[in-house]
Amino acid sequence: MLPDDVNRLVWISDPRLSPDATRVAYVVNGVDADRNRYRARIWTVDVDGRTPPRPASAGQDLDTSPRWAPDGRSLAWVSTRPDGADHHAEVVLLATTGPAERTVIAHHDDAVSGLAFSPDGRWLAYAARTRGPHYDETDVDRRPPRRVDRLFAMADDEGWVIDRPWHVYVVPAGGGGDPIDLTPGPVDHDEASWFTDSRRLAVCVTNQPDHPLASDIHVIHLDGSGAQPITVGGRYFSPSVSPDGEAIAVIGHDDPGVHPQNSHVGILGEGDAAPAWVSSELDRSWDTFPHAQPPTWEPGGSLLATVQDRGGVHLYRLAAGHAPRLVVGGERTVTGWSTAAGSLAVVASTTDRPAELYVRRGDDLSRVTEVTDPFVTRAQPQAAERFTAGSGSEEVDAWLFTPPDFDPGRRYPMLLDIHGGPFSQYGDAFFDEAQLQARAGFVVLLSNPRGGSGRTEAWAQAILPPEHHRPGQGWGSVDYEDLMAVVDTALARYPFVDPDRLGVLGGSYGGYMTSWIVAHTNRFRAACCERGVSNLLNLALHSDIAGELRAWFGPSPFENPAMYMRMSPITHVDAIETPLLLLHSDEDLRCPPSQADELFLALHRRGHPVEYHRFPGESHELSRSGSPAHRIQRAELILEFFTRHLQP
């Protein structure tokens, strides 16, 4: 894979079986290189594979969230047209029997998500960001100032959200009526799931504005008669009402004051104020960011849900009183699923292929789409070899990629790539950055040190500071030890890796660890810190989630600033001798550019070899969803830097 192949990336998401399980609707995502943006198009395919897939939408912009009507005679989706900083979204309905009539049944001047047909087919519910009076003035230079009266007024990659809350709307599915806002006011409501009577919906409510990790489940009524709180004081989300209307499945945990935690799948019965957890026998996180989906009810009362497990994301069947049962496993990452009439459709990726659509027939999982074949033929992505490394008493999972023209008789430079989060994981999924680096002639090493997801909750909380009420050893402790153990194991296991030509890089928390590593060892000849954290004290004051970092660290920055500085790479900057590349985005709100500014200033004034690049108009999400042109430029900068320092 070459940097320009970013323009050829394609993948599938959001599979939806028709009610009779004869067809699957899904989204094909790709890049529009001419317009330097992304496209998404709705397609359908027959489950039996007898006819080729066919498009349902035009796909000129972003057509997403396909949903079948209960009778299977129509298909709805969201069509979003980016327009500068704005997003104009339409809810579209297409008749799938008779003449293919396309009808726009709702329009919004901001983002729309989460379509859901009512069981009787009369209504479509969805969530939409709802703009306040500040936006009535179209001339930005004349708009009044915003009043900021709570924390988390902005969000990375979204900008101001304090005056754009999520509201739940319903609109007649046949058209001919205006959308009805069921949740007016300043509080976020989203993720609507219908009750069987088609008169009520269960929704997720962020009703503590200064505590965004807290969310509850409420029931709202179609007649607008008010909301009924079901849960109080936890972190519960992704509600899914059972077919008999007697229970609500959710994902979450009971204590929003601690992060990270392994979220679980639970069931709320009538009169319950907190869920009964049905997934707790498997101590992993069932909130599979960034591809989380509400649990799916099956006949008989069981549930389907995905879990992160040691680099994979697998689909399980859950039921009260029973241990979780594996449905789709293997070395893959399941990013979406749908079930109907006893059939199952899933979307999944592997280390050497972006996500495709699969249908289960009996015990076999068969691929029914081929959208990634041209990309795979051109880019020749490499499969990873999986291994484990010992770090103290722990076993750390790792993956190694080799160049396409690999010769075991040669010696290669190796890049240690560190994931962000830290509560996330690398593993059995397509990762374009590893493919780009391998194609450039590097061995690429990925791993999941303590502090990440995909393992037990104790594993994730091992790097909470000693001052936290769930004390661990702090950032830059056992996570650092695990990463060094993985490098040591790779060097011992793979004689083709040159120990004198090692590089290290990472983004966000991975950028933090990159800076921390080069401040504590000189074994790497070059390093790249991207959208990283150098000063935890400043992060705790200036990030878009600054007021919530007490869940990560315990004491606030006002109570114990020394703790934050102790774990900050900037405190140890005088020990850095490794040449460093800094990459950051101008509009990064999660790890503001000041994080890179500080590190650059400290190193530059010492005359240290440091290179710094800032990307205009980009957020923290540059590497994943930034403009294709910037993603290519970013890849070129990284590859040129490491080639210059590590290639002979």
Side-chain angles (χ1 to χ4, degrees):
M1 182 177 177
L2 297 171
D4 187 63
D5 288 324
V6 166
N7 285 329
R8 299 171 181 84
L9 281 169
V10 62
W11 67 99
I12 287 178
S13 62
D14 206 357
R16 297 288 161 168
L17 277 163
S18 61
D20 61 2
T22 61
R23 292 169 290 173
V24 187
Y26 55 95
V27 182
V28 177
N29 307 270
V31 174
D32 184 338
D34 292 336
R35 294 195 295 170
N36 191 30
R37 61 174 57 173
Y38 299 91
R39 281 184 177 176
R41 192 177 194 183
I42 310 298
W43 288 70
T44 63
V45 65
D46 293 335
V47 170
D48 61 17
R50 294 180 181 176
T51 58
R54 49 197 179 274
S57 74
Q60 294 301 308
D61 292 295
L62 296 173
D63 296 336
T64 59
S65 302
R67 300 293 185 268
W68 294 96
D71 61 7
R73 298 172 63 85
S74 58
L75 183 68
W77 65 82
V78 176
S79 183
T80 305
R81 184 179 70 254
D83 183 12
D86 295 329
H87 291 78
H88 301 281
E90 297 174 340
V91 179
V92 178
L93 192 72
L94 177 73
T96 57
T97 59
E101 297 180 0
R102 178 184 183 277
T103 305
V104 176
I105 61 174
H107 176 89
H108 288 267
D109 291 329
D110 215 316
V112 168
S113 69
L115 286 184
F117 273 98
S118 61
D120 63 8
R122 295 178 56 199
W123 299 93
L124 264 168
Y126 57 89
R129 283 211 174 274
T130 303
R131 298 182 176 187
H134 176 85
Y135 296 91
D136 293 343
E137 175 56 71
T138 57
D139 184 349
V140 175
D141 294 333
R142 294 180 181 275
R143 283 180 181 169
R146 289 180 174 86
R147 179 181 179 182
V148 178
D149 55 5
R150 62 172 174 84
L151 301 178
F152 315 107
M154 301 183 75
D156 184 72
D157 207 35
E158 292 197 75
W160 289 100
V161 294
I162 191 170
D163 47 13
R164 298 165 52 232
W166 287 103
H167 287 180
V168 171
Y169 289 79
V170 293
V171 65
D178 294 329
I180 302 168
D181 186 350
L182 297 181
T183 60
V187 176
D188 284 331
H189 295 72
D190 60 1
E191 299 186 310
S193 177
W194 287 93
F195 283 83
T196 51
D197 60 12
S198 297
R199 296 163 54 191
R200 298 171 295 152
L201 303 101
V203 299
C204 176
V205 184
T206 306
N207 57 349
Q208 299 183 42
D210 285 345
H211 197 354
L213 290 182
S215 56
D216 283 305
I217 306 302
H218 290 193
V219 174
I220 59 174
H221 297 261
L222 194 63
D223 62 9
S225 59
Q228 173 190 355
I230 303 298
T231 66
V232 178
R235 174 163 169 74
Y236 312 119
F237 51 94
S238 296
S240 177
V241 179
S242 63
D244 61 8
E246 299 297 320
I248 305 171
V250 298
I251 302 174
H253 48 259
D254 296 320
D255 181 4
V258 178
H259 184 85
Q261 288 188 66
N262 280 347
S263 292
H264 283 276
V265 177
I267 297 176
L268 289 162
E270 185 176 357
D272 291 342
W277 303 111
V278 296
S279 65
S280 53
E281 285 195 37
L282 182 53
D283 186 10
R284 299 288 190 269
S285 181
W286 296 78
D287 176 17
T288 52
F289 174 85
H291 304 291
Q293 172 175 330
T296 300
W297 289 92
E298 294 185 298
S302 59
L303 292 161
L304 291 178
T306 49
V307 65
Q308 292 181 322
D309 189 10
R310 300 192 68 161
V313 176
H314 301 148
L315 186 66
Y316 275 80
R317 179 169 289 112
L318 303 169
H322 297 276
R325 288 172 288 171
L326 183 66
V327 176
V328 178
E331 293 187 349
R332 59 167 60 94
T333 291
V334 175
T335 56
W337 74 91
S338 176
T339 183
S343 296
L344 175 68
V346 300
V347 166
S349 75
T350 56
T351 57
D352 59 350
R353 184 179 290 273
E356 288 270 20
L357 175 66
Y358 299 79
V359 172
R360 166 159 269 174
R361 301 184 180 96
D363 294 330
D364 297 326
L365 197 64
S366 303
R367 181 158 66 102
V368 296
T369 55
E370 300 175 343
V371 304
T372 65
D373 283 0
F375 171 80
V376 168
T377 299
R378 176 185 174 89
Q380 299 179 26
Q382 303 299 295
E385 179 177 336
R386 182 174 185 153
F387 68 96
T388 59
S391 178
S393 61
E394 300 292 350
E395 184 181 74
V396 185
D397 296 309
W399 292 259
L400 188 113
F401 295 81
T402 55
D405 56 352
F406 175 68
D407 177 358
R410 289 181 53 192
R411 302 201 92 186
Y412 293 86
M414 184 173 74
L415 299 180
L416 170 66
D417 204 324
I418 307 171
H419 67 63
F423 193 57
S424 63
Q425 67 170 8
Y426 277 150
D428 303 321
F430 182 80
F431 185 37
D432 61 323
E433 297 183 47
Q435 300 295 339
L436 286 163
Q437 294 157 15
R439 175 63 178 81
F442 298 97
V443 170
V444 183
L445 179 61
L446 311 180
S447 67
N448 291 332
R450 275 171 282 186
S453 58
R455 299 289 284 269
T456 66
E457 190 164 279
W459 177 278
Q461 294 179 356
I463 65 169
L464 293 178
E467 294 86 347
H468 201 285
H469 65 275
R470 294 193 185 179
Q473 298 187 51
W475 285 27
S477 60
V478 293
D479 45 357
Y480 172 80
E481 295 172 9
D482 289 353
L483 290 166
M484 294 305 99
V486 166
V487 172
D488 291 340
T489 301
L491 292 174
R493 183 183 178 104
Y494 303 106
F496 51 80
V497 176
D498 188 342
D500 295 323
R501 291 190 290 155
L502 302 180
V504 58
L505 71 160
S508 195
Y509 164 80
Y512 164 90
M513 278 307 307
T514 297
S515 299
W516 184 267
I517 285 170
V518 297
H520 289 79
T521 180
N522 292 327
R523 72 187 304 182
F524 297 93
R525 282 178 53 180
C528 173
C529 171
E530 182 180 9
R531 63 184 186 276
V533 177
S534 61
N535 188 325
L536 286 170
L537 181 63
N538 280 353
L539 184 79
L541 296 171
H542 299 294
S543 171
D544 63 335
I545 57 170
E548 199 57 37
L549 287 177
R550 63 185 185 273
W552 278 256
F553 297 114
S556 77
F558 307 105
E559 296 166 332
N560 194 341
M563 178 194 72
Y564 288 83
M565 294 308 299
R566 183 186 74 232
M567 295 186 294
S568 295
I570 198 71
T571 301
H572 310 278
V573 70
D574 287 343
I576 296 178
E577 298 180 6
T578 307
L580 191 61
L581 172 65
L582 302 178
L583 302 178
H584 226 95
S585 296
D586 281 350
E587 297 179 13
D588 190 334
L589 300 181
R590 186 58 43 85
C591 299
S594 59
Q595 294 289 324
D597 294 345
E598 285 190 45
L599 193 53
F600 174 76
L601 174 63
L603 293 172
H604 183 72
R605 289 184 66 87
R606 288 176 48 219
H608 183 84
V610 58
E611 303 171 34
Y612 185 15
H613 298 267
R614 288 267 292 263
F615 285 85
E618 296 291 355
S619 73
H620 196 67
E621 297 301 305
L622 165 62
S623 67
R624 294 178 282 262
S625 60
S627 80
H630 279 158
R631 289 178 66 181
I632 292 171
Q633 292 165 10
R634 167 189 169 273
E636 291 171 340
L637 285 168
I638 293 172
L639 296 179
E640 188 281 329
F641 175 79
F642 282 112
T643 298
R644 179 167 20 110
H645 284 279
L646 301 182
Q647 298 282 25

